[in-house]
């Protein structure tokens, strides 16, 4: 006990975060978490104050995606934690390492309601429904073990969000604690050698191979490109895999699993290697097509080998470790993928009329943004119809999009988190007017940080996608047309900058200026709504 010292639960928590190299947290202080806040600065942890806990969650998500380190959210009890739950659901869907920490009702709080401030029937049950786990500690000494448990999850398996609840009386209580316990270092999960040889044999014999790359393949960018070139195999990615292979590369089909032509082509491949992707309906925007050939799956999550499309050859492990083991075993023929230009043309012809309105603006953005720029995206037409397929990206850049769970309001706070993490890189948020207003208050957070941050918004006067779906059903559009808001004036009211761009050249000039202007610049592009 000679090396023990008395720590409060709040200090024990912050000490554990610092021991796991946490340098930034996002959140809002409240009555029940003040003991945590008092220790942040002494332990060298910077706090970014959001204006809503959902915004804090998306900011931490963006931070995690661009750093590869867990994003941390600090909330108070009850409504604050539940405000962050949508962000937890999005992080679970997109396999993002997110740690949410909150107080909870006291350790011996009665089962029957007492009317305690922020009293909630069960925060842990609520968060278990959207997170990988929710851990309620029962002593100060257990706090660092709970934090280590979360970081062990982030390091050893499919990264997904976790919640730690510290009863509010334990935050103030003190116990004698020894050295902090931390998550162990774990090597990347290696594949079974027999499965590697089986996969290599299938690829060597393939006459029509294809690669499908998801977000789990991003850490193996060089190996993915090397394998594609060795095989002469066309590459198609999911939204989260965007840019893993340069989208200007002759073998790239970009983000186009939703294309009917690409789906038909993929179904005819004799071998498909899918790395770090669920091959889910949210990737194809429809039920996944049946695959006629051999399916080789690479995934750190063994459940994926029989979920959805079952693997014919299962390579369980970290994508980089698997591909590093697979590459030396593959003897490729460097086939000439001469079908790619024809396939690209067929893909683009399917949606040419729909997508034409965004492409000139996307070209203007591309002309301003550096190759390593970070673009955050929302569930908006200009993003999933526009930027995902038509904004070329390479491994140096990042495109952060809320897939699967499909939240709204992601782009602005995620851009804030990305910019906090990478202040030296260009960061731009892209979305629509409907989604922006879910988290528009985070403009105040961006103003406070004084970091250059353009937010490009296509304004179609409401919920354009739902309006179009209603019309396609033959319904009268209902509850989708919103009264106009002077969004540039709103940005200025928050202390930022706001303007309109009525053409690609105006956007190019406004975006160029915004990159050199401290604080957020909201650039609104008016769209026709009919």
């Amino acid at each position: 006990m000679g090396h023990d010292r008395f720590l409060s639960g709040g200090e024990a928590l912050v000490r554990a975060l610092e021991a796991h190299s946490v340098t930034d947290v996002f959140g809002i202080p409240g009555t029940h978490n003040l003991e945590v806040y008092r220790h942040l600065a002494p332990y060298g942890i910077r706090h970014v104050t959001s204006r809503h806990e959902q915004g804090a969650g998306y900011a931490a998500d963006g931070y995690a995606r661009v750093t590869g380190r867990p994003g941390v959210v600090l909330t108070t009890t009850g409504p604050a934690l539940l405000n962050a739950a949508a962000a937890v659901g999005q992080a679970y869907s997109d396999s993002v390492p997110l740690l949410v920490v909150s107080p909870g009702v006291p350790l011996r709080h009665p089962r029957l309601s007492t009317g305690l401030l922020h009293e909630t029937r069960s925060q842990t049950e609520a968060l278990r429904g959207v997170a990988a786990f929710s851990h309620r500690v029962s002593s100060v000494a257990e706090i660092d073990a709970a934090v280590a448990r979360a970081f062990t999850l982030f390091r050893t398996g499919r990264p997904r969000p976790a919640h730690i609840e510290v009863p509010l009386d334990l935050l103030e209580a003190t116990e004698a604690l020894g050295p902090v316990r931390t998550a162990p270092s774990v090597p990347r999960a290696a594949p079974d050698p027999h499965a590697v040889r089986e996969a290599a044999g299938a690829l060597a014999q393939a006459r029509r191979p294809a690669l499908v790359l998801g977000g789990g393949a991003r850490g193996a960018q060089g190996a993915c490109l090397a394998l594609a070139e060795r095989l002469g195999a066309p590459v198609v990615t999911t939204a989260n895999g965007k840019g893993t292979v340069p989208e200007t590369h002759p073998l790239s089909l970009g983000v186009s699993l939703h294309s009917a032509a690409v789906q038909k082509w993929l179904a005819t491949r004799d071998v498909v290697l899918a790395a770090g992707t669920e091959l889910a309906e949210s990737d194809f925007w429809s039920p996944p097509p049946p695959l006629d050939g051999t399916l080789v799956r690479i995934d750190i999550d063994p459940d994926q080998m029989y979920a959805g499309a079952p693997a014919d050859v299962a390579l369980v492990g970290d994508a980089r470790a698997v591909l590093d083991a697979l590459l030396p075993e593959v003897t490729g023929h460097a086939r000439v993928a001469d079908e790619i230009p024809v396939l690209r043309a067929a893909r683009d012809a399917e949606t040419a009329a729909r997508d034409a309105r965004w492409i000139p603006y996307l070209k203007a953005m591309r002309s301003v943004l550096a190759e390593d720029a970070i673009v955050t995206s929302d569930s908006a037409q200009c993003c999933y119809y526009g930027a995902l397929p038509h904004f070329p990206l390479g491994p140096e850049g990042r495109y952060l999009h809320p897939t699967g769970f499909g939240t709204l309001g992601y782009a602005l706070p995620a851009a804030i988190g990305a910019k906090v993490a990478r202040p030296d890189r260009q960061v731009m948020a892209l979305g629509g007017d409907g989604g922006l207003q879910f988290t528009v208050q985070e403009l105040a957070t961006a103003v406070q940080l004084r970091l250059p941050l353009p937010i490009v918004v296509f304004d179609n006067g409401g919920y354009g996608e739902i309006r179009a779906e209603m019309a396609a059903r033959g319904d009268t559009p209902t509850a989708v047309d919103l009264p106009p808001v002077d969004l540039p004036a709103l940005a200025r009211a928050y202390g930022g900058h706001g303007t309109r761009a009525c053409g690609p050249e105006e956007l190019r000039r406004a975006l160029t200026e915004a990159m050199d202007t401290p604080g957020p610049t909201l650039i609104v592009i008016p769209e026709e709504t009919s």
Side-chain angles (χ1 to χ4, degrees):
M1 296 289 289
H3 297 290
D4 292 356
R5 64 190 185 96
F6 281 87
L7 300 180
S8 71
E11 184 173 2
L13 173 61
V14 176
R15 182 184 72 152
L17 294 175
E18 188 270 341
H20 287 90
S21 302
V22 172
T23 57
D24 300 278
V25 299
F26 301 83
I28 301 175
T31 299
H32 290 161
N33 62 14
L34 298 182
E35 178 62 19
V36 180
Y37 273 83
R38 74 182 297 186
H39 295 288
L40 291 176
Y43 279 86
I45 296 178
R46 174 174 55 169
H47 183 270
V48 178
T49 306
S50 65
R51 298 308 187 265
H52 189 281
E53 289 85 5
Q54 190 173 134
Y58 296 146
D61 177 299
Y63 180 97
R65 295 195 200 204
V66 300
T67 63
R69 304 196 307 272
V72 179
V73 181
L74 180 57
T75 81
T76 192
T77 38
L81 177 62
L82 296 182
N83 281 345
V88 175
Q90 188 60 63
Y92 189 93
S93 179
D94 285 345
S95 301
V96 176
L98 187 73
L99 176 59
V100 180
V101 183
S102 75
V105 296
L107 193 61
R108 292 179 175 85
H109 190 67
R111 289 288 183 182
L112 294 177
S113 174
T114 66
L116 180 74
L117 177 67
H118 301 327
E119 186 177 54
T120 307
R121 288 181 58 201
S122 176
Q123 294 184 159
T124 53
E125 288 301 317
L127 269 292
R128 280 185 188 128
V130 286
F133 69 78
S134 177
H135 185 143
R136 176 176 163 90
V137 303
S138 57
S139 68
V140 174
E142 190 184 350
I143 291 172
D144 60 0
V147 174
R149 179 190 179 195
F151 278 81
T152 299
L153 167 71
F154 301 149
R155 294 176 181 178
T156 59
R158 185 176 184 175
R160 275 179 155 162
H163 169 237
I164 295 173
E165 176 178 299
V166 183
L168 62 92
D169 52 339
L170 289 185
L171 288 176
E172 301 286 347
T174 59
E175 291 183 22
L177 302 182
V180 65
R181 290 170 286 182
T182 57
S185 297
V186 180
R188 295 195 308 270
D192 173 54
H194 174 75
V196 170
R197 291 191 293 272
E198 186 180 359
L203 291 168
Q205 296 175 24
R207 296 177 61 84
R208 301 182 307 281
L211 303 187
V212 180
L213 305 179
R218 288 203 58 84
Q221 295 168 343
C224 288
L225 180 58
L227 181 62
E229 291 180 336
R230 186 169 300 179
L231 296 171
V235 178
V236 61
T237 75
T238 67
N240 284 336
K242 182 175 173 65
T244 301
V245 166
E247 293 185 311
T248 55
H249 192 281
L251 290 171
S252 175
L253 290 167
V255 182
S256 53
L257 286 175
H258 56 278
S259 161
V262 171
Q263 290 182 16
K264 182 178 179 181
W265 164 84
L266 192 65
T268 66
R269 301 299 90 189
D270 55 353
V271 178
V272 174
L273 184 144
T277 172
E278 294 176 313
L279 295 175
E281 181 172 340
S282 56
D283 297 318
F284 290 94
W285 300 1
S286 62
L291 302 178
D292 292 339
T294 298
L295 176 59
V296 179
R297 297 194 70 167
I298 300 173
D299 208 289
I300 199 167
D301 183 356
D303 288 352
Q304 291 305 305
M305 298 308 163
Y306 45 79
D312 297 305
V313 182
L315 293 168
V316 179
D318 173 83
R320 182 176 172 185
V322 172
L323 286 166
D324 284 348
L326 181 61
L327 265 172
E329 303 288 335
V330 174
T331 55
H333 313 319
R335 304 166 184 79
V336 179
D338 52 5
E339 75 237 87
I340 291 184
V342 175
L343 188 55
R344 284 177 180 155
R347 171 200 67 189
D348 294 343
E350 293 171 357
T351 58
R354 182 195 65 195
D355 298 351
R357 54 177 160 159
W358 297 296
I359 290 176
Y361 290 99
L362 293 167
K363 289 180 178 178
M365 295 175 203
R366 183 70 279 177
S367 72
V368 174
L369 295 176
E371 290 302 313
D372 68 348
I374 300 165
V375 178
T376 64
S377 174
D378 217 332
S379 294
Q381 291 176 312
C382 61
C383 299
Y384 44 76
Y385 295 145
L388 274 176
H390 300 298
F391 184 86
L393 197 71
E396 305 91 344
R398 284 302 303 271
Y399 188 92
L400 313 185
H401 185 70
T403 61
F405 200 58
T407 192
L408 274 168
Y410 177 83
L412 171 55
I416 291 170
K419 192 66 176 176
V420 167
R422 295 286 183 259
D424 56 325
R425 289 170 63 175
Q426 292 178 335
V427 178
M428 185 194 83
L430 176 65
D433 58 301
L436 174 70
Q437 293 183 72
F438 277 58
T439 52
V440 70
Q441 69 276 359
E442 300 307 331
L443 285 169
T445 307
V447 167
Q448 193 169 5
L449 292 169
R450 300 292 295 164
L451 295 172
L453 184 64
I455 304 110
V456 177
V457 173
F458 284 81
D459 186 348
N460 60 19
Y463 303 120
E465 175 65 23
I466 308 306
R467 181 192 294 127
E469 290 181 13
M470 286 178 171
R473 288 164 50 92
D475 298 343
T476 300
T478 303
V480 291
D481 297 317
L482 302 180
V485 176
D486 190 341
L487 294 173
L490 182 59
R492 293 191 291 270
Y494 273 113
H497 312 274
T499 188
R500 285 184 171 80
C502 295
E505 181 56 27
E506 287 188 18
L507 173 60
R508 188 191 64 78
R509 289 196 299 267
L511 191 54
T512 300
E513 183 177 349
M515 288 297 179
D516 294 322
T517 302
T521 301
L522 184 58
I523 305 169
V524 175
I525 302 170
E527 278 199 284
E528 295 293 332
T529 60
S530 59

